[in-house]
Amino acid sequence: MTRILYVEDNDDNVFLLTMRFELLGGYEVLTAADGEAGCAMAAAETPDLILMDLDLPIVDGWEATRRLKADPATRAIPVIALTAHALTGAREKALEAGCDDFDTKPIDFDRLVERIERLLAKGGNEKD
Ligand code: MN
């Protein structure tokens, strides 16, 4: 079972992505609705991977990622940034903050799962 922490303030996105992972199987999805709660959850639960929305209340996704990567307890957890920003430089800014990978919204679920599995160095035969 792969444990994913999804840090996202949009309830619809949380619902949809959680449902997709449940249907896929093999994944447990933890959620947090802001960057501060996300950092606390990451430290408490040490998930296998974090999906980080960048536009978040209280602490945004860039700062939350900086904090996670500055903390020895959480720095090894891969972070995939998710943003609706198709702006030039958004990817570079996310990678500078310490994100391991980057993807754009609306989420292409199959592509996202490929990124997750690549980051976790998984084979393609664990979906069953
Ligand atoms: Mn958001």
Side-chain angles (χ1 to χ4, degrees):
M1 188 69 89
T2 300
R3 297 170 75 242
I4 304 258
L5 170 59
Y6 183 28
V7 189
E8 169 66 79
D9 60 320
N10 181 296
D11 289 341
D12 291 340
N13 289 344
V14 170
F15 178 79
L16 285 170
L17 203 63
T18 301
M19 189 176 65
R20 292 299 302 266
F21 278 115
E22 277 178 14
L23 289 170
L24 179 63
Y27 287 87
E28 179 188 355
V29 181
L30 311 166
T31 61
D34 65 70
E36 190 171 86
C39 288
M41 179 81 84
E45 300 287 342
T46 55
D48 297 305
L49 183 140
I50 297 169
L51 298 175
M52 181 72 77
D53 179 34
L54 292 175
D55 285 314
L56 290 168
I58 305 178
V59 172
D60 69 32
W62 291 283
E63 177 59 23
T65 300
R66 279 185 213 104
R67 292 184 188 182
L68 291 169
K69 294 300 183 180
D71 183 343
T74 53
R75 73 163 45 123
I77 305 170
V79 176
I80 300 178
L82 299 173
T83 180
H85 296 161
L87 297 173
T88 309
R91 178 188 177 85
E92 286 70 23
K93 197 177 165 194
L95 297 178
E96 270 172 28
C99 296
D100 298 272
D101 204 348
F102 176 92
D103 209 345
T104 50
K105 295 179 181 177
I107 289 168
D108 177 329
F109 187 71
D110 293 336
R111 184 178 67 196
L112 180 62
V113 169
E114 280 176 23
R115 287 185 191 279
I116 290 169
E117 293 190 347
R118 194 184 321 144
L119 269 178
L120 295 176
K122 283 186 155 189
N125 54 0
E126 286 199 21
K127 291 181 186 176
D128 295 334

